[in-house]
C-alpha cells in the first residue's frame, strides 16, 4: 500500500510559477514509476510528467521546456516545478505511483491538488 500526499496547488497568473510536492508513505526506491497527471473539466486524465524506470523521465509535449519533475529520495518526495504557466494548464493535478509485484501492477493516486491559471 502506498499513500500519496500532494501539496502546492493554487491560483497563479499566466506566466507565473508553482511547485507541486508529492510525498510517499513508501520508500520511493521501491516504486517502479512515479509522476504527475492532470485532469481538466470535461477532459480525460493525462500524463504530465513522470519518472519511469530508474531516472528516466517522460513529459507531455504540451509541458516540455516549462515543467520539470524532480525528486528527493531522502524525503520520499517527487516535485513538479511548473514555469510559464498558461490558462490551459488549469486542472486538478494528481500524483501517481506504480508498484509492480510479480505480474501484478498496482496503481496509487493522491487526492489531487487544484491548479488554476487565470488573470
Amino acid at each position: 500500500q502506498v499513500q500519496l500526499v500532494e501539496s502546492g496547488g493554487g491560483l497563479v497568473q499566466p506566466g507565473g510559477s508553482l511547485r507541486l510536492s508529492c510525498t510517499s508513505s513508501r520508500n520511493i526506491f521501491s516504486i517502479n514509476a512515479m509522476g504527475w497527471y492532470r485532469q481538466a473539466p470535461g477532459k480525460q486524465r493525462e500524463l504530465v510528467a513522470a519518472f519511469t524506470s530508474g531516472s528516466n523521465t517522460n513529459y507531455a509535449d504540451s509541458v516540455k521546456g516549462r515543467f520539470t519533475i524532480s525528486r528527493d529520495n531522502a524525503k520520499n518526495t517527487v516535485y513538479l516545478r511548473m514555469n510559464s504557466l498558461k490558462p490551459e494548464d488549469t486542472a486538478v493535478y494528481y500524483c501517481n505511483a506504480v508498484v509492480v509485484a510479480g505480474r501484478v501492477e498496482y496503481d496509487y493516486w493522491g487526492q489531487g491538488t487544484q491548479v488554476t491559471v487565470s488573470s
Side-chain angles (χ1 to χ4, degrees):
Q1 186 80 325
V2 179
Q3 293 180 331
L4 303 171
V5 178
E6 302 138 336
S7 62
L11 173 64
V12 64
Q13 292 186 342
S17 298
L18 282 175
R19 189 182 76 160
L20 306 182
S21 300
C22 173
T23 299
S24 166
S25 62
R26 180 170 175 160
N27 189 314
I28 61 175
F29 283 115
S30 67
I31 296 174
N32 296 86
M34 191 166 173
W36 294 91
Y37 286 70
R38 67 186 180 188
Q39 188 166 18
K43 294 188 176 181
Q44 288 189 330
R45 193 172 294 189
E46 63 175 0
L47 172 72
V48 178
F51 286 104
T52 54
S53 58
S55 297
N56 294 327
T57 55
N58 188 22
Y59 290 91
D61 288 342
S62 60
V63 307
K64 284 180 181 177
R66 301 188 297 123
F67 292 11
T68 303
I69 190 169
S70 62
R71 63 190 180 194
D72 185 332
N73 295 330
K75 295 182 179 179
N76 293 322
T77 299
V78 171
Y79 303 97
L80 183 68
R81 178 68 179 182
M82 305 184 292
N83 295 328
S84 302
L85 282 160
K86 304 175 181 180
E88 51 263 44
D89 294 317
T90 296
V92 178
Y93 283 69
Y94 296 92
C95 183
N96 169 259
V98 177
V99 176
V100 178
R103 295 184 178 182
V104 181
E105 184 175 292
Y106 298 90
D107 256 306
Y108 300 95
W109 295 92
Q111 79 282 2
T113 185
Q114 177 71 47
V115 172
T116 302
V117 184
S118 175
S119 55

